[in-house]
Amino acid sequence: MLHAELSLGRSELGNLHAAQVTRAFPVILRDLARMTVAGSAFSLLRELLPERAPDQGLFAAALGLLEELDAALAEPLLLLLAFQAHVLGLSGFAPRLSVCGACGKHPAAGQSADFDPARGYLVCQHCGGGAYRLRASTRELLAQAFEGEWRQVAHAAWDAAQLAEAQAALGAFIEHRIDRPAGKQAHTANPRTSRPSGKP
Ligand SMILES: [Zn+2]
């Protein structure tokens, strides 16, 4: 973490007058997997944050992620997933995972439900379903992260299948909603184009 003094003009470039490292994260710098996760997380932040618009909540989340990665107590990919969900929630971009976005019907208790990343909500079978299936337990963990308890979610006991389905669904959602410019979104979701969240 840097304390920097700079002056900003009208152009994209500013003048750096002084910079001092105020906090280092040595464990991250020794581990490629942790560095990759930090890079993926920060590239999402760059997409979410408008230019020169400081956001205390997102800054605190970013600092929290670096602390968690450096502490090395949670799996890096779980930290990334939970962090992505949290900052989407903070920015008002969280997908809706509680009811079918087309008809408003709740999935039966404990049942899996389909998610359509292009629309950003669940779609029940009656309304055509979605390309990504999410179990109820996975939806609950993601919802907790959207609502701010992302650190607890990253330390929760996920099984491999939960992690895989959550990564696929959230990765596809981010690709549709954040990575693609508005107006150029695909008409249908295609799981083969989804990107695992842990890859840059
Ligand atoms: Zn429906």
Side-chain angles (χ1 to χ4, degrees), residues 31 34 37 65 67-80 82 150-156 158:
D31 184 335
R34 287 171 201 285
V37 160
L65 177 72
E67 287 169 352
E68 290 284 353
L69 284 170
D70 207 63
L73 296 174
E75 277 296 317
L77 288 179
L78 274 179
L79 283 170
L80 177 63
W150 71 278
R151 288 189 181 210
Q152 294 92 314
V153 167
H155 288 269
W158 290 69

Side-chain angles (χ1 to χ4, degrees), residues 100 103 124 127:
C100 170
C103 72
C124 73
C127 296

